[in-house]
Amino acid sequence: MGIFSGKKGLVLGVANDYSIAWAIAQKLIEQGAEVGFTHLPGDKMERRVRKLTDPIGAKLLVPCDVQKDEDVAAAFDRAGEAFGSLDFVLHSIAFAPINDIKCPYAECSREGFKTAMDISVYSLVIVARNAARYMPNGGSILTLTYFGGERVVQGYNMMGVCKAALDASVKYLAYDLGPKKIRVNAVSAGPIKTLAASAVGDADALGGLYEAVSPLQRNIEREEVGSSGMFMLSDLASGITGEVLHVDCGYNVMGSPGRAVEAIKAGKL
Ligand code: NAP
């Protein structure tokens, strides 16, 4: 018996086995959860996700483009049909047009900004609204954010502004859905090599910075984000809502380069 025995939920944002959503889903399943998944519409996208979900016997794999209200509503209706009600929902989605994320924030386009905000921020609002329809007894919603929404991180550019808006959305959604006993939280993960991360810069260099600066003197492991995400979705976190939990080896608490000063002096950084 795991802590998710008898619990059912929907996971949005698995692209492949590098995805953070997959790391969290694996932990949920290990703990006994029944998990449904979404994929971006299209045969190629479906095949990519199905390669992971078929071997684990997932009961549900549905198309969902979060830019379309009707897709989100239909995905949750399918989840409702398959599971009755939902206990948890994982939202692990972000996107920005490559030219708008590679350029300085000051240079990003209006269209790129709108698209990035729509997919990376508004999607949580529409997902939470639909999730609530199938959480009559309360539930837990989790999203993924990054420190680049709190402080300037070289290369994160427009996505940092999206994450700041996402972090604020977590708080307002937690307030709105609190009376329905629905918790809304975020995990702020340190850098992990994924498809989405490849768009925002050099993951190795960023990982190296975390090793040099963070109190734990290392970068996080994918598995650690999986466990922490699973914890936030579980009843063990029943008193936590509106929170951004940093899973980053403590990098966010540093106000100076810390022990990296020695490496800088030695010309290693
Ligand atoms: P990922 O595997 O590429 O996941 C991103 C997901 O978003 C993909 O499944 C992608 O689908 C999906 N997506 C994009 N546009 C969509 C749309 N219109 N409708 C539905 N789904 C859409 O990368 P990841 O790193 O795991 O990213 C997951 C979340 O973690 C993101 O919010 C990211 O900002 C956050 N995060 C990542 C890191 C990191 O270092 N990797 C650190 C902190 C936070 P397709 O691939 O099919 O387009």
Side-chain angles (χ1 to χ4, degrees):
M1 281 270 287
I3 57 171
F4 275 85
S5 290
K7 305 263 188 203
K8 294 152 289 181
L10 191 63
V11 168
L12 299 93
V14 172
N16 55 35
D17 57 354
Y18 289 98
S19 296
I20 291 177
W22 184 242
I24 297 174
Q26 283 179 300
K27 294 289 176 188
L28 293 167
I29 292 161
E30 264 174 42
Q31 290 297 325
E34 267 203 85
V35 183
F37 296 86
T38 66
H39 65 84
L40 257 182
D43 289 349
K44 193 174 146 209
M45 311 297 191
E46 179 177 351
R47 271 199 306 277
R48 214 171 52 179
V49 184
R50 197 172 279 290
K51 249 200 298 193
L52 298 172
T53 57
D54 274 0
I56 60 163
K59 205 168 169 183
L60 185 73
L61 176 62
V62 284
C64 179
D65 178 347
V66 292
Q67 285 194 285
K68 296 187 177 138
D69 288 359
E70 62 278 16
D71 268 31
V72 181
F76 276 92
D77 287 345
R78 292 276 303 277
E81 280 162 26
F83 297 130
S85 60
L86 298 175
D87 301 290
F88 62 88
V89 168
L90 174 62
H91 168 280
S92 186
I93 287 172
F95 175 83
I98 194 79
N99 291 338
D100 289 296
I101 201 170
K102 289 286 184 202
C103 69
Y105 178 56
E107 304 297 330
C108 73
S109 71
R110 188 184 298 270
E111 272 318 300
F113 183 88
K114 280 190 199 166
T115 303
M117 279 286 184
D118 187 18
I119 299 179
S120 312
V121 185
Y122 185 75
S123 62
L124 179 65
V125 181
I126 192 74
V127 161
R129 191 187 306 156
N130 278 279
R133 295 195 288 125
Y134 291 100
M135 291 180 163
N137 307 312
S140 179
I141 298 171
L142 183 72
T143 189
L144 268 299
T145 188
Y146 180 61
F147 185 59
E150 299 170 57
R151 297 282 185 272
V152 173
V153 174
Q154 159 79 15
Y156 209 58
N157 305 332
M158 187 172 65
M159 191 49 71
V161 177
C162 291
K163 291 306 190 191
L166 184 72
D167 295 355
S169 297
V170 164
K171 295 183 178 75
Y172 278 91
L173 289 169
Y175 178 73
D176 287 351
L177 299 182
K180 295 183 172 173
K181 299 189 176 67
I182 297 173
R183 301 184 292 108
V184 185
N185 290 293
V187 159
S188 179
I192 296 187
K193 279 188 198 171
T194 62
L195 269 185
S198 63
V200 287
D202 184 343
D204 285 332
L206 204 51
L209 187 66
Y210 276 61
E211 281 168 26
V213 175
S214 74
L216 291 182
Q217 296 189 281
R218 63 177 179 84
N219 189 18
I220 45 142
E221 303 286 340
R222 201 178 300 272
E223 262 224 328
E224 293 175 306
V225 180
S227 304
S228 303
M230 182 267 287
F231 160 72
M232 289 300 264
L233 286 170
S234 81
D235 289 344
L236 294 176
S238 58
I240 304 176
T241 195
E243 186 71 10
V244 175
L245 177 71
H246 292 89
V247 183
D248 63 354
C249 296
Y251 181 87
N252 74 95
V253 306
M254 297 302 296
S256 79
R259 294 183 187 93
V261 164
E262 296 308 319
I264 292 167
K265 278 190 199 155
K268 290 183 191 159
L269 270 181

